[in-house]
Amino acid sequence: MLESRVNVNLTPEEIAEAKRRLGREPNEIELGMIDVMWSEHCSYKSSKKVLEILPKSGRRVVVGPGYDSGVVDIGDGDVIAFKVESHNHPSAIDPYNGSATGVGGIIRDILCMNCRPIALLDSLRFGNPQSAHARWLFNNVVKGIADYGNRTGIPTVAGEVEFDESFEVNCLVNVACVGLGRINELTLARMDNPGDIVVLMGGDTGRDGIHGVTFASKTIREDSELERPAVQVGNPFIKKLVIEATLEAMRTGKVTAVKDLGGGGLTCALSEMSSKGGTGVDVELTNIHVREEGMTPYELLLSESQERMIFTILPESQDEVLRVFRKWEVPYSIIGKVTDTGRIVAKYRGRIVVDIPSKLLTEPPMAKRRARKISIITKKRASKPPIPMDFAKVMHHILSSPNIADMHPVYRQYDHEVGLRTILKPGDADAAVLRIIGKNKAIAVKIDCNSLHCYLDPYAGHAAAVAEAARNVTATGAKPIAVTDCCNFGNPEKPEVYWQFKEAIRGITYMLKGLGLPCVGGNVSFYNEDEESGRAVKPTTTIVMLGLIERLSLVTSMALKEVGESIILLGKTYPELGGSEYYRLIGFDGGKVPKAVASRERASIKTLAEAIRRGYVTAAHDCSKGGLAVSLAEMAIKGGLGLKVDLAYVLHTPSMRIDEILFSESSARFIVTTSEVNTAKILSLARRRGVPASKIGEVSASSYTVAMNGKILFECSVESLRESWQDAIPRLIGG
Amino acid sequence: MIIENKKLARDPEGETIAKELIERRGISTIKSVRSGKYLRFLVEAGKEEEALRLVEKIANELRIFNPVVHICNIRIMGESR
Amino acid sequence: MKTAVIQFPGSNCDLDILHVLKNVLHVEAELVWHRDFKDSEFGAAILPGGFSYGDYLRAGIIAAHSPAIEHIKEMVSEGKLVIGICNGFQILVESELLPGALLMNQSTCFICKWVKVRVETDETPFTRHIKRRTVLNMPIAHAEGRYVNDPEGLKELHENDQVIFRYVNPRGEVSEDSNPNGSMDSIAGICNPERNVLGLMPHPERASEPVLSPFSDSDGLKLLSILKS
């Protein structure tokens, strides 16, 4: 009887385990709830064990992994909540609505902590722009993020876009949200007090997201596929009202907890909140405000309709809170009470339809996965490509690579100013900088990864991703303080994919420990692979780095500032061109992936931070993607000034070729500019920390000039470089 | 060509117009509003059927609508002079 | 004089303008929910930027039906000052307090960037302290900001000296490439014939503190400081 009506993804062992824990056969509704809660998406059953090795504590950590978002103390009673999540699968089939609802979901995670969302960041990956499908995904994802983010009044301040054929079918859409709150006003999404009133607030509940679960109910069969979309449509207008109503409701002091409804809907929210508080909850499903008629208990418990929040309110105090909801004209329904039973009891028209322990849902059995090393990956080729004849031409080529080129066609579609916090705007620096209004301090945020490096060497690539993000915030004048991450991988049941995942987490852990940084939360997205070809995306864990800028006077951008200033390169250059933009451009497959060594990173970061603190630095830029040549060009373009550098002064390993010096993507390097008088001071700071550093040239008026031992190798006008860099995306994508 | 969200997909624009503009005026005889996009094509073709097929074809091939979320209705408006 | 900042569902620059008025300019200002707004308490009103009612149907049209607009009209007839910024400008146009229409940008997408606007007249209460032809740095952030009007309407605007701001290039000249959204005659802001209602697409509140400006200036204050009196 049971099996004939419910088609679940649970394995026979999992079903047996569920029965054992429940002490009876679960009914079909309960089985559906278990199915969803024990799914990879909700349970992290393949990843939880691996993620345990990440460092999670630190003196600034207020809330670590396990809640809706991580929270970090930035002093003076202020806290930052931040979280990143993927919305890859919906975006791949409906890029506009898929990316929009991705933004909606991550905003709710910040709201749950009683923090005001103050910034969005996005990390996007698509197939080669030559493909019409990739361009269609790109344009619609950007529009979806813009239309949703802009309407909610949260600025989109930073991001990255990468193009690679492995993302042709499965694009990656990772969106991060940053929130600001007060340490003594934080709330945790847990039901601690039996007797509290449970209220569902926000958008109406419909059958959204349920058709994905293969439940053979009569009502669903009546809905033709033609009438129901495969991806939800978000309503950013309602979201804006939900944000303001939630924050205002919290100010009444009568709300004890808030949680958003995302994957797993009401089931997930109720079970996680009660399980964390060691309580239970009784709800009457008939009270829920609905959009569609005749919804079954199963559908009400598992609907994933957007823009909904669960509130628990002190007994007898609901009027004050509900008045706020009425002012903002957001619908709500009182659906039940917190109990001390440890069970979720759901009634439908007064009849009990579900009675199941919360912890049964939230503590699923872990999956056992096998890992197998992929041996083809670490290629080490002795052969090298021929040295290019015309370096100026290479410069123009590499600056117009879609992975390097100016992304203004993307970020000008985002409102990056709303909120009056954005000091360094998209493109100004390695990270976005947001001030804390009323205080002499700011935060820097960055989202980053290099999927090609991560593919060629998941351990080294991911360690380098953490290091690069840390350097990025450092270059703006910030001290890196915490990280959250978003893992995007193929099918974890395949040992090779699982190996990539384990290596990635090992690499991230190594660098976090080396830099003394905690990981305060994260998200894992598996099964990013094309069903037909079985081809997985390149393993990509995007790193969101948070930095704290202790005084506004420390804020540093990358633009060159003044003719005659010295250009200093911090860090040593190694022949590490495996997976470099230069090799990608000339189609050369080989070379070593840059190796990030924690001690070197730490020394470089500390040197730059100290130089900035002492007021020596006029511009700073991390030297990574595209190498020294590209990083210098970016600084020149931003400043509208030229430069002259001599490669003879670049500190590198012996017998490196010119193209290797120019385009190696070695880690632990920064380019900084400074006045003539402060040049020696920066070099001496570097020496004291054992960081190889040298003055490699000077800022000039308008020409980008590269010499070797005084002999000019090539020269181009900064204006012409700017054109190549600026025109590339409109030319490749249109717009 | 009229492109609308599928019947069971939300339509925030139509819903807001119905609720905030019409219902607020106390008009209760309008039960719902759906928004959409309207494109008019001038097609060089011998027969209406031929024109219809051509527009259908490009709508599908060029992803003028996304079948994941939209329904697309194509009608003949008449002949140009 | 107390200034009201009117908050519509979907407004999102309401707190920003309030911050500038209270903490930067130190003028008396209050955030008022659109349904609670009564004109009698206030000497001036600001309709802030954002996406009232999600910009659905047309930006500003649904908010134009709010009861708050009746009170705004009352204020206007009493000669009090009303400023609409971005979405506020769209609401004023849809309420027929300002002439013309604001359509989708020429580029068909949302644009956020810093622009230069030139003050075309100092014969308004809003610009009486700014010299004519002064160029101000301010950011725009909108999807529907292309100002259009019919030929007579446009002629009337110019003849009555109702065009207050135009988009210009760094040399202060009106040009094709410095018109960010395709507005007719590069119009960025206008006033009513009685000269007490101002609508503009750029955001003066985002250009009121040097720390936020790429030019380290605070040109927006030149305009907003009229609320000090």
Side-chain angles (χ1 to χ4, degrees), chain A residues 93-94 97 136 223 225-230 233-235 291 329, chain B residues 5-10 12 16 19-20 24 63 66 68-69 71:
Chain A
I93 55 168
D94 181 354
N97 291 302
W136 175 76
D223 297 338
E225 260 309 296
L226 287 173
E227 294 182 341
R228 187 170 293 282
V233 177
N235 186 343
R291 190 172 76 246
E329 297 173 6
Chain B
N5 282 4
K6 286 183 176 178
K7 201 173 142 203
L8 291 170
R10 307 212 66 167
T16 309
K19 180 167 165 245
E20 304 290 348
R24 267 200 201 288
R63 304 197 74 113
N66 181 359
V68 168
V69 69
I71 46 168

Side-chain angles (χ1 to χ4, degrees), chain A residues 562-568 616 618 673-683 695 697-699:
Chain A
E562 218 171 301
V563 174
E565 287 192 330
S566 306
I567 300 172
I568 293 174
Y616 301 157
T618 52
T673 63
T674 186
S675 65
E676 209 186 325
V677 290
N678 288 329
T679 306
K681 294 179 190 161
I682 293 183
L683 294 178
K695 177 180 167 181
E698 279 171 7
V699 180

Side-chain angles (χ1 to χ4, degrees), chain A residues 341-419:
Chain A
T341 61
R343 304 178 77 84
I344 296 182
V345 179
K347 292 180 191 153
Y348 186 75
R349 293 188 186 135
R351 188 173 60 88
I352 292 179
V353 290
V354 166
D355 184 352
I356 189 169
S358 301
K359 290 208 154 96
L360 190 158
L361 293 172
T362 57
E363 292 171 5
M366 292 292 108
K368 285 195 182 66
R369 306 282 184 224
R370 283 185 315 119
R372 189 187 308 131
K373 187 175 173 173
I374 307 174
S375 49
I376 49 153
I377 279 178
T378 25
K379 271 183 208 141
K380 242 189 185 177
R381 281 200 202 162
S383 72
K384 289 180 178 180
I387 293 187
M389 304 298 284
D390 185 349
F391 275 109
K393 205 166 138 194
V394 175
M395 280 307 292
H396 284 285
H397 265 177
I398 199 163
L399 285 172
S400 48
S401 150
N403 293 321
I404 301 264
D406 183 15
M407 277 297 155
H408 79 273
V410 173
Y411 61 70
R412 75 159 184 223
Q413 294 187 51
Y414 303 145
D415 187 345
H416 44 76
E417 305 267 348
V418 63

Side-chain angles (χ1 to χ4, degrees), chain A residues 493-512:
Chain A
E493 295 157 43
K494 294 185 181 168
E496 291 79 9
V497 170
Y498 201 60
W499 175 79
Q500 291 177 327
F501 173 65
K502 285 179 79 171
E503 285 295 289
I505 299 303
R506 274 203 327 118
I508 291 169
T509 302
Y510 159 72
M511 190 53 70
L512 287 175

